[in-house]
Amino acid sequence: MLAAIGVSSIEELFARQIPEAVRLRRALDLPAGMPEQDVYAHLRELARRNVSCEEELSFLGAGMYDHYVPAFIDMLMERSEFLTPYTPYQPEISQGGLQVMFEYQTAICELTALPVSNASVYEGPSAAAAAAYLAKLHNGRSRLVVSAGMHPHTIETLRTHAHGYGMEVVEVALSGGVTDLVAWRGAIDGDTSAALFAQPNFYGAVEDAQALSDAAKDSAGEDAPVVVCQVDPITLGILRPPGQCGVDVAVGEGQALGNRLDFGGPSFGLFAAREEYLRRMPGRIAGETVDVDGRRGFVLTLQTREQHIRREKATSNICTAQALNALGGVAYLAWLGRRGIVELGELLLARTHYARDTLTAIDGIDALHTQPAVRELAVRLHADVAAVKARCARAAVNPGVDVQALTGREEDRGGLLVAITEQRTRADIDRLAQTLGAAVAAEREAVAV
Amino acid sequence: MLAAIGVSSIEELFARQIPEAVRLRRALDLPAGMPEQDVYAHLRELARRNVSCEEELSFLGAGMYDHYVPAFIDMLMERSEFLTPYTPYQPEISQGGLQVMFEYQTAICELTALPVSNASVYEGPSAAAAAAYLAKLHNGRSRLVVSAGMHPHTIETLRTHAHGYGMEVVEVALSGGVTDLVAWRGAIDGDTSAALFAQPNFYGAVEDAQALSDAAKDSAGEDAPVVVCQVDPITLGILRPPGQCGVDVAVGEGQALGNRLDFGGPSFGLFAAREEYLRRMPGRIAGETVDVDGRRGFVLTLQTREQHIRREKATSNICTAQALNALGGVAYLAWLGRRGIVELGELLLARTHYARDTLTAIDGIDALHTQPAVRELAVRLHADVAAVKARCARAAVNPGVDVQALTGREEDRGGLLVAITEQRTRADIDRLAQTLGAAVAAEREAVAV
Amino acid sequence: MSSPQASGGGATAETPLQRKRARTIFEQGAPGRRAFVCPEMDVPEVDPAQLLPEHLRRIDPPRLPEVSEPEIVRHYVSISKRNFDLDSGFYPLGSCTMKHNPRLHERAAALEGHARLHPLQESERAQGALELMWNLQNALAEISGLPHVSLQPSAGSHGELAGVLLTRAYHESRGERRMKVLTPDTAHGTNPATVTMAGLRVVKLATDAQGGIDIEDLRAKADGEVACLMLTNPNTLGIFDPNIEQIAAIVHDAGATLYYDGANLNAVMGLSRPGDMGFDIVHFNLHKSFTQPHGGGGPGSGPIAVSERIAPFLPVPVVTRREDGAFELDHDRPHSIGRLRGFHGNYGCFVRAYAYIRSLGAEGLRDASENAVLNANYLLARLRQADLGEGRRVEDLLPLAYGELCMHEFVLSGGPMKRELKLKTLDLAKRLLDFGFHPPTVYFPLLVDEALMVEPTETETRETLDAFAQAVAEILREAALEGPEIARNAPYTTPVRRLDEVAAAKHPVIRQAL
Amino acid sequence: MSSPQASGGGATAETPLQRKRARTIFEQGAPGRRAFVCPEMDVPEVDPAQLLPEHLRRIDPPRLPEVSEPEIVRHYVSISKRNFDLDSGFYPLGSCTMKHNPRLHERAAALEGHARLHPLQESERAQGALELMWNLQNALAEISGLPHVSLQPSAGSHGELAGVLLTRAYHESRGERRMKVLTPDTAHGTNPATVTMAGLRVVKLATDAQGGIDIEDLRAKADGEVACLMLTNPNTLGIFDPNIEQIAAIVHDAGATLYYDGANLNAVMGLSRPGDMGFDIVHFNLHKSFTQPHGGGGPGSGPIAVSERIAPFLPVPVVTRREDGAFELDHDRPHSIGRLRGFHGNYGCFVRAYAYIRSLGAEGLRDASENAVLNANYLLARLRQADLGEGRRVEDLLPLAYGELCMHEFVLSGGPMKRELKLKTLDLAKRLLDFGFHPPTVYFPLLVDEALMVEPTETETRETLDAFAQAVAEILREAALEGPEIARNAPYTTPVRRLDEVAAAKHPVIRQAL
Ligand SMILES: Cc1ncc(COP(=O)(O)O)c(C=O)c1O
Ligand SMILES: Cc1ncc(COP(=O)(O)O)c(C=O)c1O
């Protein structure tokens, strides 16, 4: 091969192109390579030192949930045809991926009751940031009014990006577990670019989405802000969808839909909006068309929004998104189906309330709020949460997320967020109650002494 | 649908076809069906109650071995295109599977140095029985001379089948760990249909294959029996192949080649022979040909041997074989490659002898034989093997197979068969020596007291 | 679809898959190239010659491929696309029960505790696996109505062999040597082949006008030398023998046993049980009724269930349960015919079959069989009624060979089609390939002229069945209008077209020349 | 291959894949059909209305598909076959580093301990995951020559955004407000797009005759308002900027930072390090250089490594190691720009990238880059030398845009080809599809007329590179002999042919009407 190139050595290829001063003249300081079996053994060993949802009874949630992923979805996501291609730049040989995007967009539009969806963004919190950027492009204003009920990671992510966008973030407190409507109305003014809230919110409470969007709209009159709702898609079989609550843009974390936990990623972010925002959407969008023989086909469309065409004028810088994870999402939604998503929602609803009733009946545990909750509930422990969790861990139970550890809010002291999935049965909930109750009691005793 | 059929109910379909007397008028006495997640949880729980090679340091072998299976092989065997089709009856749409068979046959021929191979039979021991049937069809005789060095399961399987074939099995004892050449010569006569031995034999000893075939041939002169050698394919990178030792038919268990343990199956049986036996081979055989446009293609060939054509005159009754497992086999051989199979063989050889030297240096352990061994070795413990194994188990070490438990032979008392794979490092072998040595010592003490 | 004739039979504008001459893995790579990275030689290097004398050592290595891992992956993934598969299309291959293979089963079987469990692991440390086998044994016993089960046989034909050997052992234990086995002329080839391998003689039974066994013929042949009658019920015509009780009585009166070929069990799960029909021995095809994927020709698994009188002779080992509830492998059965293979059978298939049984449960299994029969009858009806114009219907050219209704499958006769349209069943099958369907089984059972054997299974949708019926009608119309040549030269759109099987058999090239 | 013109452009004898009109999952199934079996309602039934007031409840369910599991599987498996994939063919898509994706990585990432680990699991109970992230941080630091790493960004462009925000934070911490970011005209679109999103202004830099940055232009523009220069090196022309030291000096003298777009890192692993070149910030594309499969458009992962002066501003969290050796997530970084997303980044991608780094090791990574550059130069040479007859060679029509040699990729100009053969780069690309190759990147970088950007990667064999060069030559010969129409109407053999993108954009149909 060197002869064909006309060089005498591989070294020559580099010597002739890279200035000596910036050549690395030593070996990288990394361990030596290993045969496949040894790398596997090492990664197996690392995995062994993690406690997965398989090894403990876990009620962790707060944004990612241990839903059951049907086996066929793994198979599809492992298929070379879906796993290994690049973004479909050559539609003639990418119809599989493009059709999946089109079907995904349709499913997300149905879920959110909004007319347009893109083919995915990175994940939940950054999807909210993307919505804020869309609002900025739309109305050029610089204020972001954010409900304190949004996930703390979302709020932090919004702040990080807002600094770049040249926007400021104004947080609206909660009252009784949901966004304080008065404060919300008060915070929104003519400079408000977007008003964002979560449904259900971080504390598991179902917000009155209609009231929040109405308030946002009429408080600003003419200059109504873009109303953004961060949804938990798996609840949309039973919760009034954003498109039917006056919401302009719906974003959300898609992991619950057929994606594994993976310690937090990769998953996908969903992004849907009203028609008028179509040409300001971030990311890929697949569209239907026909080929020269009149055959139905799909292509990436409205690319004039995108960075590779519009460059500094693009509606977003996103390029690689989450196509494979979105495949998991649409395949999961097809698996649930029109009835399944309702049945599942009702099962989660019933179990969540059963869990709330059971837990709050325990001495030393009461509800953090009494709002309706559909798949996650917040209680307050009259004991140190970390200490209680440590006690539960000994019984191989993980009772949930320490709220204050995430929000840092004083009023959240003692808060525990308990997530319910279809994999947590009544028996599991009863075991949780028994373990958690005992741990709280023991901890209070220990402190009392 | 019922209307189209012209019946009023599904029940009618059965009522009109199945006599009432043989209808089952109750529900089957089986547990109710479960959602996927519950079935998975149940099977996960059953799996948890098995101690796999992942959870202990295992030196189990004796026919199946814990070799590393490269991840890409799982992927191939899980691909719908290989996993879900039936036997390739329609070659135009089965070229993938047929080509795999053709490549597999080529690889097996190379490995065994024999000119013809079929596309797989069930597994190892029944492959030997299939060879005996081929011998019967070939020479019509009724005696099977079998080396006691064959796997006990092989000998039992031969006996079971031989009864059907109307053949008798004569066992030839070992001396010094290998087939007693004198007894072997003596046992083979003009009525002998086939003479069978294993290479390496059940005790891990390498037999003098050439000497055994020569003896078989000249002891019977004109009426030489069919010489059958049961091979361990993974040793054929360094062991003289049957085709170069005067062997007529080579059979063997293919699991070591890219197939997982699966508690004993499914795997595949390999079956190769000299040209003259081609038309008496059992099972599917793929052959190369061309299509009407002159394109190269592959088909099932020589089907006039088979049950679906020849029926009671077929050379075998086999229909469904082990195509998918054979795919794993040929993919694994391609992965090892021409050099790899030699390197691997030499690694196993060196480690096996290291293990033998290390173990036999321990007080209370000596060699069961001193023949060359390539991947498995036999030692004799001066203590009860079961008791010693139980002690080792507490240290999460499984030192190997209790020989006598399998052979039932008095002379095998104390025998332990230790298998080595590329997954058992020197450190593992040293840990085995330390654990086994301690267990033997402890057991002898316990008994002494 | 425009007539391929117009474009020279589709040979132009070949797809990359078609154009690329098939290259084997042996025709790729380069000397020295490799995928395998050998673990380091961590023990003292030794000269092989010293450990392994010259005459035992291999001189020149086997000429295996010299390829990189990306090459291997690309090679096998690429050729896999030259396969038609059940996950992509309808596969109504009669007698093969091509039902959906749930992926849950693959996930469960791949768990370390199952996949990396050594068969010689001590029973105490393999209780999960033994419990699974125990549960499966019991489930199969309940489904078949026969109390004793061995999971050992590797596939259906292996189960048949076990069955005939059991029959021999049974008779021999009673001091009888019965040499005949009755098999109907509709029997699958493995039945007669098995009989011969088991050292017995095949005696053929005629089929009556209803497609069942000719009772008179049976009476005449059921003498004292008969060891066994091997029956598939429903048989390979998809017909449940209406005289099954009578047949059982005759066979038993003759002192013979009744063997049930379970390949067609998918028609009767939870609806009718071989044991209740009077069968003594039944084999299951876990790769048919119980969703073990066929793998392009295996693996399979062929457990057998037997009646009390046959039980003592069952192959070893069988899973038993101790008083203390623990499970173990019982090898110590004095009357056993012995082993049929190594270890305990195809456990990986047991996991899948067991997962299937637990997923469906009692009701689900019955529903499966009900829908299998419903789908078959619906497709039969659609096919017969499909219009060919001029008042002709498909059934005029492809009549049902026997009966009016069918069980889980049915057999059509292509005789009239061949006579009137000069279209052979083979040509119809090949033309179906261009429509993206796997053809039904052809030319079996042998007693039907130009047989076309169709088994849709319960996991297919009505829409798929309608589309298939339409395709058959379209092909017949095409032949009626444009003549049989189009079909005779079909397929056009497959990776390769019709292959020269005669040449392949005349001068067999069954390995790559290196 | 016979001219498709002869057969009406291959439109006849369509394959089943071509003929079947694409049907979406929403166009399948039947009312009431389902795959999901809901776990039993094991808690007291409650009327949803009671728990969820009317105005919060959904009235009519989303119109999701009503299909069985076999239908879903068959649907997605079937349409997957309408994709071209890296496991089946050569994919020399410039700037995308389509290297082999080892399956070991999928196996490892699927282990329960990784795949079912919740991101909010306590650190003490996720030590394996944190150690993996720690090791990966260190490896990336060593490879880039920049000591501090954040694994958080979700992809390359997300890493870019982080980088520009870091630059802002850095300058702001020094009381400076610098609004300009310099980007060469060869820059990838994400660079300028990122600059705008980060609230800064793009200033374009010219490219000199060697394909590097025009130093004079840089000098002129590198003033006190410049916050940063974003550079890809080797750049998108596949050229390693010979003046990199000078460039770094100029930028630093101007008080600006130097950003390294790591998309082309595959050219220099173990051979040259951004940190040693003077870069302050670099992003990695784990889905390019480190084998995270592209998934048809993600997931990706875009970690960043930075110099000491940038470190204080890194996004949270980062993995740190306590004295006692335990690992934890550090959120408490007062100067941090904050979070870029939820949780800790795309851990699943970290597992794969880490497995890759441990498989190859220091030597292996260097070999990978060496072979990537070797393969690119070999393919370049083969292409240039490929004979077109009449003493013409491919390079006469497809000259190398800049330079003589290249790094891991190269850019040809289709200008002469267009002028002489009336063959556009797009047509060449489409015709390549008929030869079973994925085309190179086309029309990028923008400054090259009719650009064709080719990146073979190190995992391709010489035979594949030769075949690709031949195919390009064959297409040019075909156009020279038979005219450009064949290519202009290509492809012919793909599941669909050229699609009407204009109509798609004019009247967007981006969801199924239900
Ligand atoms: C009716 C019948 N009997 C027996 C068999 C043999 O089963 P197997 O292929 O599992 O050996 C088959 C399989 O085709 C069959 O259809
Ligand atoms: C040079 C260059 N920079 C940046 C990017 C953006 O990377 P990502 O797609 O991961 O956001 C790409 C990807 O195409 C690229 O080629």
Side-chain angles (χ1 to χ4, degrees), chain D residues 268-298:
Chain D
V268 295
M269 296 184 295
L271 293 155
S272 181
R273 309 194 305 170
D276 302 338
M277 302 175 205
F279 286 88
D280 296 281
I281 307 168
V282 47
H283 86 252
F284 304 83
N285 301 67
L286 298 189
H287 44 301
K288 294 181 178 178
S289 334
F290 298 94
T291 73
Q292 164 64 38
H294 284 92

Side-chain angles (χ1 to χ4, degrees), chain B residues 86-87 89 122 284 307 317-321, chain C residues 94-96 154-160 186-191 232 236 261-264 283-285 287-288 300-302 444 453:
Chain B
Y86 201 74
T87 301
Y89 291 147
Y122 300 134
R284 315 289 183 185
Q307 45 77 25
N317 69 336
I318 194 168
C319 181
T320 293
Chain C
S95 207
C96 300
S154 309
S157 64
H158 209 210
E160 292 173 36
T186 53
H188 188 266
T190 50
N191 298 10
T232 313
T236 60
D261 178 334
N264 291 350
H283 87 251
F284 304 83
N285 300 68
H287 44 300
K288 293 182 178 179
S301 179
F444 179 74
M453 183 189 209

Side-chain angles (χ1 to χ4, degrees), chain A residues 17 22 24 26 29 49 54 56 80 83 85 90 93 103 105 110 122 160 240 289 311 343 389, chain D residues 34 57 63 75-76 84 87 116 122 125 131 142 157 187 271-272 295-296 339 406 430 500 510:
Chain A
Q17 298 190 83
V22 298
L24 182 69
R26 62 164 175 86
D29 180 13
R49 281 159 46 208
E54 194 63 62
E56 67 180 4
S80 300
L83 182 70
Q90 296 289 343
I93 51 166
E103 295 180 358
Q105 291 164 192
E110 274 302 313
Y122 300 135
T160 307
R240 182 76 49 105
T289 186
R311 303 184 65 88
E343 290 172 10
K389 287 194 67 175
Chain D
R34 57 181 23 251
R57 233 163 51 239
R63 290 161 298 178
H75 174 69
Y76 288 110
F84 182 95
D87 278 353
R116 292 195 62 200
E122 280 63 38
R125 303 229 293 294
E131 177 171 346
E142 168 66 6
S157 63
L271 293 155
S272 181
R339 283 193 160 273
C406 66
K430 296 302 184 190
D500 188 342
I510 63 170

Side-chain angles (χ1 to χ4, degrees), chain C residues 460-508:
Chain C
E460 295 296 332
T461 65
R462 175 184 182 157
E463 303 86 273
T464 299
L465 304 179
D466 291 338
F468 179 77
Q470 272 170 33
V472 170
E474 191 174 330
I475 292 169
L476 295 186
R477 275 197 300 274
E478 178 185 69
L481 292 173
E482 312 188 30
E485 292 68 27
I486 295 178
R488 262 194 217 146
N489 297 319
Y492 303 93
T493 61
T494 46
V496 295
R497 297 179 56 217
R498 286 201 204 190
L499 292 145
D500 188 342
E501 308 201 12
V502 177
K506 184 117 41 61
H507 313 289

Side-chain angles (χ1 to χ4, degrees), chain D residues 382-389 392-395 397-398 417 421 423 428 432 435 437 466-481:
Chain D
R382 271 271 166 277
L383 272 170
R384 297 169 87 174
Q385 296 152 10
D387 182 32
L388 296 177
R392 305 212 8 260
R393 306 196 306 171
V394 169
E395 73 175 327
L397 298 171
L398 280 172
M417 173 178 75
L421 298 183
L423 195 66
L428 171 61
L432 275 168
F435 286 76
F437 291 109
D466 290 339
F468 180 76
Q470 273 170 33
V472 170
E474 192 173 329
I475 293 169
L476 295 187
R477 274 197 301 272
E478 177 184 70
L481 292 173

Side-chain angles (χ1 to χ4, degrees), chain C residues 145-148 279-282 305-312 314:
Chain C
L146 290 163
H148 303 284
F279 286 88
D280 297 281
I281 307 167
V282 45
V306 303
S307 57
E308 291 297 345
R309 61 177 182 165
I310 305 294
L314 276 178

Side-chain angles (χ1 to χ4, degrees), chain A residues 46 68 94 108 147 170 268 295 298 325 336 342 351 372 396 437 441:
Chain A
L46 289 172
Y68 182 75
S94 308
I108 296 302
S147 160
V170 179
F268 67 93
R295 282 194 211 94
F298 303 91
N325 307 90
L336 277 186
V342 176
R351 283 184 178 172

